[in-house]
Amino acid sequence: MSEERRLAVLRAIVQDYVRTSEPVGSKSLVERHHFGVSAATVRNDMALLEEEGLIHAPHTSAGRVPTDAGYRLFVDRLSAVKPMSPAEREAIGGFLRGAVDLDDVVDRTVRLLASLTHQVAVVQYPSLTRSTVRHIELVPLGRERLMVILIANTGRVEQRVVDIARTLDDERSAALVSAVRRELLVEAAGRSFPEASTRLRSLPERFEPADRDMVRTILRTLDDALSEEREERVVLAGTSNLARFGADFPLTIAPVLEALEEHVVLLKLFGQLGAGRVGGVAVTIGHENQHEGLAGASVVSTTYGSGSESVAGLGVLGPTRMDYPTAMASVRAVARYVSELLEP
Amino acid sequence: MSEERRLAVLRAIVQDYVRTSEPVGSKSLVERHHFGVSAATVRNDMALLEEEGLIHAPHTSAGRVPTDAGYRLFVDRLSAVKPMSPAEREAIGGFLRGAVDLDDVVDRTVRLLASLTHQVAVVQYPSLTRSTVRHIELVPLGRERLMVILIANTGRVEQRVVDIARTLDDERSAALVSAVRRELLVEAAGRSFPEASTRLRSLPERFEPADRDMVRTILRTLDDALSEEREERVVLAGTSNLARFGADFPLTIAPVLEALEEHVVLLKLFGQLGAGRVGGVAVTIGHENQHEGLAGASVVSTTYGSGSESVAGLGVLGPTRMDYPTAMASVRAVARYVSELLEP
DNA sequence: ACTGGCACTCGCCGTCGGAGAGTGCCAGAG
DNA sequence: CTCTGGCACTCTCCGACGGCGAGTGCCAGT
């Protein structure tokens, strides 16, 4: 028996099943693809593949369906990432170029990804902890409040209102605010956020004892904005695509939707790939996802970022029965464009 | 025949159907509710209600189901808004009070609404056009770029990067930026955004001809941020609740999810109630919704805002077969709390 | 190692018939 | 005029039955 043909059979099964969403049998298989052999031979191969746990028969007398392991082998060894046509590339670029805003970039990206792949798309906002400080601004609001505005090199802007226990309307206070602002910038500008945060720890000491509380409050806000919980934001689109193949994961839509609402879960999915090299596209299939609601789902994801540093992840989520080559191509292409866009 | 009893029957039908999601027949009706009469009498009433188009029999020999008109009558005349228990009020307040941010307020609000009502919740960000300017800040970024930051009295912050056709690193430019900033504030602070926008139209003339282009660019950004399309933002949660009653609108989940993704559609839903008085809760039922994908859905919405001015809408969306009294109570209570929260 | 053939297994689907829920209508009582 | 009990009727739902077809596993033969 030829190892090679057996894998070709697996590949064909995956492809056909993805197309038709119906278990594929030996006969229809030899019709569509021309291996040089008969259906009976293919049947033998299929029996072996089943023994290896790569495919599975839902019922004694039905066609075969790939298992998670089967898909895994397929994406690892049997599929080539489909190249995008120049027209597609142009469409992607054109659509993203119109963005006026980081919010806008993220918004367009997630919609684009959803419509390219017909799956649920997920885009993570650039992580602050992996960005550098471009600017920090203090804006007095009313008499006892200050708005702290953090601007990252990725264009991400985070703002927070802080109450400070003193009035700000005299001359001296104005000078103080602007001194704090200046010191913040000297210390933080151009550095990574975590680094800035540590360097700033000694900042209060440079001011009069009476003023230190205010400075500390501001620094606390900055740290708070960097905390895991608050700093990670995630956006999604295309959830209606889940309903499109209602028959597919039959009543499993609910748990998937629930998982998607739990942003924490999503972040874990992307967290796994962590600081992976920018080029790579990661795929987690079915039960490889920790969350049990996602047992029937696969995630195709990658990272994007300005320069060679990745600052966040993006990807798509769909049924395990998913067109992996296309999804991987789209995810990779979009990530590349977004990275370019954040470059300058 | 007593008009009064007929309406009581309609009320009972709506209540039972909402509870069981099964067509309700005369027999089970007299069992659960005790009208003083027999099932036969109720049947006569039901026949009349059907003639009036308030209820409808899916099959010749099945129970009755309320029509859109039936629900309409129910919410208008037959239901009292369920008061919230003190414990619930406290829970709402406690959950919302922890917010650090407008984003956070909106986020918590939408999740809270979803979990209170078990429906899809929708919250609109405070409209800029209906807010007043609290502050405008100009932050130089790099050499030929400026970030314009708009802060509204609602806490909403909008930022936009503008390219200006001149370098900013000399002394004079710094003075110019700060002069522009000062003038902007004098003219705009405390006024409504549209008013500010018109008042600022003459601003360029106060500067040297060479500087006017920059000022114009900044003003254009401000106007752009106010444009319908960009200014309205909407957030939703609880979409998994749609799947919970999969049997309910059977395969109608897809169009609903699609409609929810089209934020434009959502904004229209809230646009209808427009500048309605803050107290009122609006309900649109089934086909009353313009969008055809939402023919099986109802929307319970209201407005919130600081002071007596409404600045945006919020609400829930679910199947027409929905617990209106509870939904209305939750929506009203949440809107009230959010309004309070935006007050100071 | 591959092929053709064959018996066998099951899920799918349409049919059928009984049970149950609900209805409409009618004649009689208050 | 309103309400009630009764009765015949209509449909849907559900489980049983059976034929069809796709697909399988295995075996004997090349």
Side-chain angles (χ1 to χ4, degrees):
Chain A
M1 90 209 95
S2 106
E3 168 88 9
E4 195 178 334
R5 193 191 54 227
R6 231 167 58 231
L7 293 184
V9 169
L10 175 58
R11 178 197 287 122
I13 290 177
V14 171
Q15 288 169 345
D16 280 20
Y17 183 59
V18 165
R19 252 189 359 102
T20 65
S21 89
E22 265 162 27
V24 3
S26 55
K27 195 174 147 198
S28 44
L29 206 54
V30 291
E31 273 171 21
R32 264 196 285 279
H33 309 70
H34 23 305
F35 316 106
V37 299
S38 77
T41 309
V42 170
R43 277 206 286 283
N44 288 329
D45 289 338
M46 286 164 84
L48 283 185
L49 288 171
E50 181 149 28
E51 242 173 60
E52 299 178 69
L54 297 172
I55 59 178
H56 163 80
H59 311 291
T60 313
S61 154
R64 304 308 221 290
V65 162
T67 61
D68 288 356
Y71 286 120
R72 165 58 55 202
L73 186 59
F74 175 81
V75 305
D76 284 350
R77 297 185 39 201
L78 301 179
S79 68
V81 179
K82 227 162 85 182
M84 308 230 84
S85 74
E88 286 172 306
R89 300 194 155 281
E90 186 40 46
I92 295 176
F95 185 66
L96 292 182
R97 235 188 306 282
V100 300
D101 205 53
L102 180 67
D103 284 334
D104 206 15
V105 171
V106 171
D107 192 59
R108 283 169 186 248
T109 304
V110 74
R111 292 169 111 92
L112 176 63
L113 211 46
S115 77
L116 282 177
T117 61
H118 305 291
Q119 308 288 359
V120 181
V122 187
V123 175
Q124 190 181 4
Y125 264 78
S127 147
L128 279 189
T129 50
R130 284 184 259 165
S131 309
T132 60
V133 179
R134 186 187 274 173
H135 194 84
I136 299 180
E137 186 65 44
L138 303 178
V139 178
L141 291 183
R143 275 194 297 185
E144 302 190 346
R145 308 176 114 191
L146 213 51
M147 178 170 277
V148 183
I149 302 177
L150 307 174
I151 306 176
N153 63 334
T154 52
R156 180 163 167 188
V157 178
E158 205 70 11
Q159 78 280 342
R160 211 56 60 80
V161 175
V162 301
D163 289 297
I164 48 182
R166 56 183 295 165
T167 39
L168 281 173
D169 42 9
D170 58 344
E171 282 287 315
R172 205 183 143 280
S173 295
L176 173 62
V177 167
S178 108
V180 173
R181 179 177 162 287
R182 193 180 333 110
E183 292 293 319
L184 280 171
L185 280 178
V186 167
E187 239 23 81
R191 306 191 197 278
S192 81
F193 273 88
E195 193 188 345
S197 169
T198 35
R199 288 180 66 103
L200 286 171
R201 222 151 268 163
S202 61
L203 193 64
E205 296 158 23
R206 302 192 209 162
F207 292 88
E208 301 286 317
D211 299 336
R212 288 180 191 164
D213 260 0
M214 191 189 92
V215 179
R216 284 201 199 93
T217 309
I218 292 171
L219 292 184
R220 207 176 314 124
T221 305
L222 197 154
D223 279 336
D224 178 61
L226 290 182
S227 72
E228 274 297 328
E229 201 180 324
R230 303 266 335 131
E231 93 112 333
E232 303 283 11
R233 292 182 56 192
V234 94
V235 171
L236 46 91
T239 47
S240 59
N241 289 322
L242 281 181
R244 277 200 339 107
F245 23 50
D248 228 342
F249 8 2
L251 290 176
T252 328
I253 309 184
V256 176
L257 279 174
E258 276 166 32
L260 291 176
E261 298 235 332
E262 286 300 325
H263 289 187
V264 187
V265 172
L266 285 180
L267 290 169
K268 261 189 206 146
L269 290 179
F270 291 101
Q272 287 170 3
L273 48 95
R277 67 252 172 255
V278 169
V281 175
V283 181
T284 60
I285 296 167
H287 293 87
E288 296 173 9
N289 294 304
Q290 305 299 336
H291 193 82
E292 63 177 323
L294 298 179
S298 287
V299 178
V300 175
S301 59
T302 189
T303 55
Y304 68 91
S306 55
S308 57
E309 289 288 317
S310 81
V311 294
L314 60 77
V316 301
L317 182 153
T320 48
R321 183 199 135 278
M322 163 194 235
D323 182 351
Y324 292 97
T326 303
M328 291 170 78
S330 300
V331 165
R332 196 174 64 179
V334 170
R336 200 169 285 169
Y337 271 93
V338 175
S339 297
E340 269 177 37
L341 217 56
L342 293 182
E343 201 57 45
Chain B
M1 91 207 95
S2 103
E3 167 89 10
E4 193 178 337
R5 192 191 54 226
R6 231 165 60 230
L7 292 184
V9 168
L10 175 58
R11 178 196 288 122
I13 290 176
V14 171
Q15 288 170 345
D16 280 19
Y17 183 58
V18 165
R19 251 187 1 102
T20 66
S21 90
E22 265 162 26
V24 3
S26 55
K27 194 174 148 198
S28 44
L29 206 54
V30 291
E31 273 171 20
R32 263 196 285 278
H33 309 69
H34 21 309
F35 314 107
V37 300
S38 78
T41 309
V42 170
R43 277 206 286 285
N44 288 330
D45 290 337
M46 287 164 84
L48 282 187
L49 288 171
E50 181 149 29
E51 242 173 60
E52 299 177 69
L54 297 172
I55 59 179
H56 164 81
H59 310 292
T60 313
S61 154
R64 303 309 219 291
V65 162
T67 61
D68 288 356
Y71 286 120
R72 167 55 58 203
L73 186 58
F74 175 81
V75 305
D76 284 351
R77 297 184 38 201
L78 301 178
S79 69
V81 179
K82 228 164 87 182
M84 308 230 83
S85 74
E88 285 172 306
R89 300 196 155 278
E90 186 41 46
I92 296 175
F95 185 65
L96 291 182
R97 235 188 306 283
V100 300
D101 205 58
L102 180 68
D103 283 334
D104 206 15
V105 171
V106 171
D107 192 59
R108 282 169 187 247
T109 303
V110 74
R111 292 170 112 93
L112 176 63
L113 256 184
S115 79
L116 282 177
T117 61
H118 305 292
Q119 308 288 358
V120 181
V122 186
V123 176
Q124 190 181 4
Y125 265 78
S127 148
L128 279 189
T129 49
R130 286 184 256 165
S131 310
T132 60
V133 179
R134 187 186 273 172
H135 194 85
I136 299 180
E137 187 65 43
L138 302 178
V139 178
L141 291 184
R143 274 193 299 184
E144 301 189 346
R145 308 176 114 193
L146 212 51
M147 180 171 277
V148 183
I149 301 177
L150 306 175
I151 306 176
N153 64 333
T154 52
R156 180 162 166 188
V157 178
E158 204 70 10
Q159 77 281 341
R160 210 57 59 81
V161 174
V162 301
D163 289 298
I164 49 183
R166 56 183 295 165
T167 38
L168 281 172
D169 42 9
D170 58 345
E171 283 287 315
R172 204 185 143 277
S173 294
L176 173 62
V177 168
S178 105
V180 173
R181 180 177 162 286
R182 195 180 332 111
E183 293 293 319
L184 279 171
L185 280 178
V186 168
E187 239 23 82
R191 306 192 197 278
S192 81
F193 273 87
E195 193 188 344
S197 169
T198 36
R199 287 181 68 103
L200 285 170
R201 222 151 266 164
S202 61
L203 193 65
E205 296 159 23
R206 301 191 209 164
F207 293 88
E208 301 285 318
D211 300 335
R212 288 179 191 166
D213 260 1
M214 189 188 92
V215 179
R216 285 202 198 92
T217 309
I218 292 171
L219 293 184
R220 207 176 314 123
T221 306
L222 196 154
D223 280 335
D224 179 60
L226 290 184
S227 72
E228 276 295 328
E229 200 180 325
R230 303 267 333 131
E231 93 112 333
E232 302 283 11
R233 292 181 57 193
V234 94
V235 171
L236 46 89
T239 46
S240 60
N241 290 322
L242 282 181
R244 278 201 337 109
F245 22 50
D248 227 343
F249 9 2
L251 290 176
T252 328
I253 309 183
V256 176
L257 279 174
E258 276 165 32
L260 291 176
E261 297 236 331
E262 287 300 325
H263 288 189
V264 187
V265 172
L266 285 180
L267 290 169
K268 261 189 206 148
L269 290 179
F270 291 101
Q272 287 170 3
L273 48 93
R277 66 252 172 255
V278 170
V281 175
V283 181
T284 61
I285 297 167
H287 292 88
E288 296 172 8
N289 293 304
Q290 305 298 336
H291 193 81
E292 64 176 322
L294 298 179
S298 287
V299 178
V300 175
S301 59
T302 188
T303 55
Y304 68 92
S306 55
S308 56
E309 288 288 317
S310 82
V311 294
L314 59 77
V316 301
L317 182 153
T320 47
R321 183 199 136 277
M322 165 194 234
D323 182 351
Y324 292 97
T326 303
M328 292 170 77
S330 300
V331 166
R332 195 175 63 178
V334 170
R336 199 169 287 170
Y337 270 94
V338 175
S339 297
E340 269 178 37
L341 218 55
L342 293 182
E343 201 56 46

